[in-house]
Amino acid sequence: MSLALDAAAQDLLFREAQTANTFTDEPVTDEQVQAIYNLVKFAPTAFNQSPLRLTLVRSEDARKRLVAHAMGANGPKTLAAPLTAILSVDLDFHEKLPQLFPHAPGVKDTFFSEAAVREVAGTQNATLQAGYFILGIRAAGLAAGPMTGFDFAAVDKEFFGDGKQKSFLVINFGKPGPDAFFPRSPRLEYTEAVTTI
Ligand SMILES: Cc1cc2nc3c(=O)[nH]c(=O)nc-3n(C[C@H](O)[C@H](O)[C@H](O)COP(=O)(O)O)c2cc1C
């Protein structure tokens, strides 16, 4: 009653949506990924810094190179997924701030001249964007399987040799396959998670 979003959309994005562990063979097209990106790009980041970069893993060769750095069941899951994305932070995101934050282009140098500051801010904001991306995948009628169980230092060496991009999440996505979902685990109740001061 208190939400503006209709009940079907609430179900699609949250109540009925679950993390998928298996997928059908149905391909995920570049057009679908573009539609997802062009929706979720409008969600906010600090100074509009937009530090998330997505690397779509389509070729067999790239998939094998990625899976070599997966932990446990994440390897076979990733080999069987129709599409996989490596999510990384652009550690030089500040170079694009004059384009992305044109009314105050100086923040590139005043706030973000130090690499250590950029890494903290970039990681925080790219992680937010990862959440938006998962919801965008659901908005496209697909299911996502996000995974942090990878050796990301090794993934970076494998794919981002120049040290300017730092991976932090891998997401398999597509139409959910047989037995795609684990039973839903409980969530914290409102009173457990929310305090008013
Ligand atoms: C950031 C993140 C990292 C995760 N890493 C893994 C992983 O490495 N392997 C795995 O099997 N599941 C992984 N998961 C899946 C979670 O366990 C799952 O999303 C959570 O239990 C909620 O499940 P539900 O969507 O079915 O309710 C990850 C999820 C997130 C959001």
Side-chain angles (χ1 to χ4, degrees):
M1 282 302 149
S2 306
L3 301 176
L5 197 67
D6 69 62
Q10 294 171 29
D11 285 343
L12 182 74
L13 297 179
F14 297 102
R15 270 190 300 264
E16 301 290 327
Q18 277 200 259
T19 301
N21 296 290
T22 71
F23 299 90
T24 68
D25 290 341
E26 190 175 319
V28 178
T29 65
D30 287 337
E31 289 70 25
Q32 284 173 297
V33 185
Q34 280 169 24
I36 292 166
Y37 179 78
N38 284 324
L39 179 67
V40 303
K41 71 182 179 186
F42 291 109
T45 55
F47 295 102
N48 198 30
Q49 63 191 249
S50 311
L52 178 69
R53 302 292 176 265
L54 299 165
T55 305
L56 301 179
V57 181
R58 278 211 187 275
S59 72
E60 273 311 298
D61 171 62
R63 195 178 289 277
K64 282 183 188 147
R65 285 166 59 207
L66 173 63
V67 160
H69 309 297
M71 294 170 192
N74 290 343
K77 267 194 248 192
T78 302
L79 280 178
L83 188 59
T84 301
I86 304 170
L87 281 69
S88 61
V89 190
D90 178 358
L91 296 172
D92 280 346
F93 68 82
H94 66 314
E95 299 293 352
K96 293 198 189 303
L97 282 173
Q99 169 196 341
L100 294 171
F101 209 59
H103 53 286
V107 297
K108 166 180 180 296
D109 301 311
T110 50
F111 282 93
F112 296 117
S113 58
E114 285 178 37
V117 172
R118 290 201 299 278
E119 181 158 353
V120 172
T123 302
Q124 181 183 55
N125 285 280
T127 305
L128 273 176
Q129 289 187 284
Y132 307 144
F133 186 61
I134 290 170
L135 292 179
I137 289 170
R138 292 174 172 187
L142 303 174
M147 297 166 293
T148 43
F150 279 76
D151 178 347
F152 286 110
V155 171
D156 291 346
K157 266 197 200 139
E158 186 78 47
F159 295 103
F160 310 124
D162 63 2
K164 301 288 184 196
Q165 246 169 289
K166 202 171 164 197
S167 60
F168 64 96
L169 188 67
V170 173
I171 302 183
N172 293 325
F173 56 119
K175 284 264 158 67
D179 302 318
F181 308 124
F182 295 138
R184 180 73 104 184
S185 297
R187 299 306 202 250
L188 294 180
E189 294 303 331
Y190 180 85
T191 50
E192 294 175 283
V194 180
T195 43
T196 304
I197 55 171

